[in-house]
Amino acid sequence: MCRTCGCSFRSRDFGNIERFIEPCILLLLSKSPSHGYGLIEDLEKHCDERVDIGYLYRTLRRMEKDGWVESDWEENEAGPDRRTYTITQEGKDFLRTAATSLIRTDKLIQRFLEGYQKNYQNNKNV
Amino acid sequence: MCRTCGCSFRSRDFGNIERFIEPCILLLLSKSPSHGYGLIEDLEKHCDERVDIGYLYRTLRRMEKDGWVESDWEENEAGPDRRTYTITQEGKDFLRTAATSLIRTDKLIQRFLEGYQKNYQNNKNV
DNA sequence: AATACTATATGATATTATCATATATGTGTA
DNA sequence: TACACATATATGATAATATCATATAGTATT
């Protein structure tokens, strides 16, 4: 149930990028190393969505524990120092696996949408 | 971390139907009322995947609490009685919302896959 | 009587996601 | 100098989602 207004719509949103955050992060890092705050901005630019910043930082630490990324502190004269993340070989391998999974997800969603639109055209009031 | 073998691959799978289980159930129920065990088989047929049966039952009860479906016991001479679920108007409304979200998700995934394949073609070893 | 299939349900726990808040550096400005 | 603001990382508390195992029971088959 939605915590904000108590309605029956779950806070869970089937369209949010959080559900695919790891592959998206890995894809960005496969282009060039980056840090948490930078990734937030990249994700927003690419996905038109502001990811919860606390969740992103925790996700990055978890991904490091999992061996998909590595991090080092980078000095930053223009502001606070940054923890810069680099993708590892394991991370690249996982990215490939995730891409395969997402191809499958994409097919599932398209199958769903076809079924839905078919019902809609048949005037089934759905 | 994967509980079965302890590897760093999360049990979380970006391709599984559990991530879109509610819209899929609602779509099936919008065609005709059904019961848990029947839905499991339908989902397997449509999505080539066996959903965890305990999870499905709990999801159905949650959806009922949320007002998306209603249930009644139906006598079954050929086996144990069945709890038959029917979609409500609220469920139909949510199905429409979910479809919109999934169109967005589909676009996000395709954008991701385009980016990924572009990297792959450029021989970036990802 | 034992086994298999159908059918629903829940205990225990792990994982994922959200919301709020703490801390600190540098820049601009009142 | 004091303050607000953007950048930057982190974590406490809690809610929501997902997994795995197990319990219970009716009907059919061997």
Side-chain angles (χ1 to χ4, degrees):
Chain A
M1 178 166 334
C2 167
R3 271 193 285 203
T4 312
C5 67
C7 75
S8 68
F9 284 76
R10 313 205 78 69
S11 55
R12 171 176 181 181
D13 175 356
F14 299 101
N16 67 357
I17 195 65
E18 261 89 354
R19 297 171 79 70
F20 311 102
I21 190 81
E22 291 95 337
C24 288
I25 291 171
L26 289 173
L27 181 56
L28 288 170
L29 291 181
S30 77
K31 290 174 186 163
S32 76
S34 187
H35 62 288
Y37 202 87
L39 287 167
I40 281 284
E41 294 184 328
D42 284 343
L43 286 170
E44 188 171 19
K45 201 169 57 189
H46 284 90
C47 308
D48 316 315
E49 189 181 346
R50 191 82 185 177
V51 173
D52 180 272
I53 183 77
Y55 183 53
L56 182 87
Y57 282 119
R58 259 199 271 246
T59 300
L60 284 167
R61 305 306 293 272
R62 191 179 65 197
M63 289 169 72
E64 185 165 25
K65 209 183 69 202
D66 285 343
W68 300 347
V69 297
E70 283 170 356
S71 75
D72 284 297
W73 283 99
E74 186 196 349
E75 281 183 38
N76 176 23
E77 288 177 16
D81 288 354
R82 297 159 165 172
R83 182 187 286 278
T84 297
Y85 286 91
T86 312
I87 190 169
T88 63
Q89 185 56 50
E90 239 186 302
K92 290 177 187 174
D93 294 343
F94 178 74
L95 178 55
R96 185 177 306 199
T97 305
T100 307
S101 289
L102 285 174
I103 288 170
R104 180 173 139 74
T105 299
D106 194 46
K107 282 183 192 150
L108 285 176
I109 291 176
Q110 288 190 359
R111 213 182 294 176
F112 167 88
L113 290 172
E114 274 168 35
Y116 176 72
Q117 279 149 11
K118 209 160 124 190
N119 267 18
Y120 202 71
Q121 281 161 10
N122 291 351
N123 229 344
K124 279 206 177 175
N125 188 29
V126 288
Chain B
M1 176 166 336
C2 168
R3 271 194 283 204
T4 313
C5 68
C7 75
S8 68
F9 285 75
R10 313 204 78 71
S11 54
R12 174 176 178 179
D13 175 355
F14 299 100
N16 67 358
I17 194 65
E18 261 89 354
R19 297 170 81 69
F20 311 102
I21 191 82
E22 291 96 338
C24 288
I25 290 171
L26 290 173
L27 181 54
L28 288 170
L29 292 182
S30 76
K31 291 175 187 164
S32 76
S34 187
H35 61 288
Y37 203 86
L39 287 167
I40 280 285
E41 293 184 330
D42 283 344
L43 286 169
E44 188 171 20
K45 200 168 58 188
H46 284 90
C47 310
D48 316 315
E49 189 181 343
R50 190 82 186 175
V51 173
D52 180 272
I53 182 79
Y55 183 53
L56 182 87
Y57 282 119
R58 258 198 272 244
T59 300
L60 284 168
R61 304 307 292 271
R62 190 178 68 197
M63 289 170 72
E64 185 165 24
K65 207 182 73 204
D66 286 344
W68 301 346
V69 296
E70 284 170 355
S71 75
D72 285 296
W73 282 100
E74 185 196 349
E75 282 185 37
N76 176 22
E77 288 178 14
D81 288 355
R82 296 158 165 172
R83 182 188 285 278
T84 297
Y85 287 91
T86 311
I87 190 169
T88 63
Q89 185 55 52
E90 239 187 300
K92 289 177 187 176
D93 294 344
F94 178 75
L95 178 55
R96 186 179 304 199
T97 305
T100 307
S101 288
L102 285 174
I103 287 169
R104 181 172 139 75
T105 300
D106 194 48
K107 280 183 192 150
L108 285 176
I109 292 176
Q110 288 190 0
R111 212 182 294 175
F112 168 88
L113 290 172
E114 273 168 34
Y116 177 71
Q117 278 149 14
K118 209 160 128 191
N119 267 19
Y120 202 73
Q121 281 160 12
N122 291 352
N123 229 342
K124 279 206 176 175
N125 189 31
V126 287

